[in-house]
Amino acid sequence: CCLAGGSLVAERLSREKVDWGTKYLNLLESSMVPILFRKVLTPFTWGTLVHDTVLATNALTGGSLQSHLRVRKNRLVYAQMIRESLQAFTAASKGGKWEPDGAAAGPFSLKMLELALCLPTFIFVPLTYVLVSHAPGAGSPMQADLHARRSTSFGWSISELCDVGRKHSVPMPAVKSVRTLLKDAIDSGNGVPSISPDELYSKAGSPTRSTQDLITKVLWWSGGTTLLVVFFILLEVAVPRRGL
């Protein structure tokens, strides 16, 4: 399995194949190709699918992925899709520790990416070089499919996410709305529909929960930091310093 950034993801080999496979992986690593090892690839596959839902929204709005993510309403829809997908997989794990592998999201987990997407644009844009790895000017490959009147792979991929939610009774309004808009664009055969961010945001139900979570965490962090500062100030006042 390959990442957009050039990494290879290898599933752990059976004992019979370790010696045979390790020498080739070592050769790739010596050639400066990053290798990620996973016990099984299924969590990584699902994590990549959740991370790449932005390709569907970008196919609907058009333009490059970088310009797409500079618009906050686009980011809020993307964050809501991540949120809904993670909730569906949490329900699917039935209390277990299984969750989608966020390696495709870079050094941050999918949950952290969800919260970061809700940051104000002037804060988020400088972070894009760390949070996302889209080439300058590159857009979703689904745009080319829509212009060529071809069906896209993300039609069924997003449907897979919706099926997980349906099986475990998890509502996924944003994911379903993007799936509907994408299906309409494919059926119309008119290429990229160039939906405005306002329309995309409205169709997705004007999501705000991710932003609320971000505000709550910021308040907790700032409150904790304030208490820590006050504690050290009181400590300085209450405990006299002794000279050497």
Side-chain angles (χ1 to χ4, degrees), residues 176-195:
K176 288 181 178 179
S177 67
V178 170
R179 180 185 63 175
T180 300
L181 291 170
L182 183 58
K183 184 178 183 302
D184 291 343
I186 294 171
D187 293 342
S188 70
N190 294 324
V192 175
S194 299
I195 294 174

Side-chain angles (χ1 to χ4, degrees), residues 28-78:
L28 290 170
E29 284 190 301
S30 65
S31 302
M32 305 302 291
V33 176
I35 305 292
L36 298 176
F37 294 94
R38 294 294 183 269
K39 184 176 181 179
V40 291
L41 286 182
T42 301
F44 173 81
T45 302
W46 283 116
T48 303
L49 183 59
V50 173
H51 176 264
D52 286 352
T53 50
V54 67
L55 300 181
T57 57
N58 178 236
L60 295 170
T61 61
S64 69
L65 282 161
Q66 286 188 343
S67 62
H68 179 76
L69 290 175
R70 286 192 174 99
V71 180
R72 190 164 187 269
K73 287 188 175 180
N74 292 338
R75 298 200 306 273
L76 292 178
V77 174
Y78 180 24

Side-chain angles (χ1 to χ4, degrees), residues 29-30 52 71 79 87 91 93-94 102 109 111 113 116 119 144 177 181 203 216:
E29 284 190 301
S30 65
D52 286 352
V71 180
Q87 288 175 341
S93 69
K94 299 179 179 179
S109 68
K111 184 61 182 179
L113 176 60
L119 291 169
S177 67
L181 291 170
K203 293 284 187 181
T216 300

Side-chain angles (χ1 to χ4, degrees), residues 73-192:
K73 287 188 175 180
N74 292 338
R75 298 200 306 273
L76 292 178
V77 174
Y78 180 24
Q80 182 64 21
M81 294 177 73
I82 293 175
R83 180 184 185 86
E84 293 174 0
S85 300
L86 292 180
Q87 288 175 341
F89 286 116
T90 298
S93 69
K94 299 179 179 179
K97 296 183 179 180
W98 185 94
E99 61 181 13
D101 191 331
F108 301 98
S109 68
L110 290 169
K111 184 61 182 179
M112 290 182 65
L113 176 60
E114 175 202 339
L115 297 177
L117 289 166
C118 302
L119 291 169
T121 300
F122 74 93
I123 297 177
F124 177 81
V125 170
L127 296 176
T128 55
Y129 299 101
V130 179
L131 292 171
V132 293
S133 56
H134 302 134
S140 168
M142 295 171 61
Q143 293 185 36
D145 290 334
L146 290 175
H147 281 306
R149 298 184 178 183
R150 295 191 298 260
S151 180
T152 67
S153 63
F154 271 80
W156 65 262
S157 299
I158 292 180
S159 294
E160 288 288 330
L161 293 175
C162 291
D163 287 343
V164 175
R166 177 181 55 80
K167 290 177 181 177
H168 299 280
S169 302
V170 176
M172 304 182 73
V175 177
K176 288 181 178 179
S177 67
V178 170
R179 180 185 63 175
T180 300
L181 291 170
L182 183 58
K183 184 178 183 302
D184 291 343
I186 294 171
D187 293 342
S188 70
N190 294 324
V192 175

Side-chain angles (χ1 to χ4, degrees), residues 203-223:
K203 293 284 187 181
S206 303
T208 59
R209 288 303 305 274
S210 297
T211 302
Q212 293 172 5
D213 277 3
L214 175 63
I215 293 173
T216 300
K217 288 187 180 297
V218 169
L219 289 175
W220 273 103
W221 291 335
S222 59

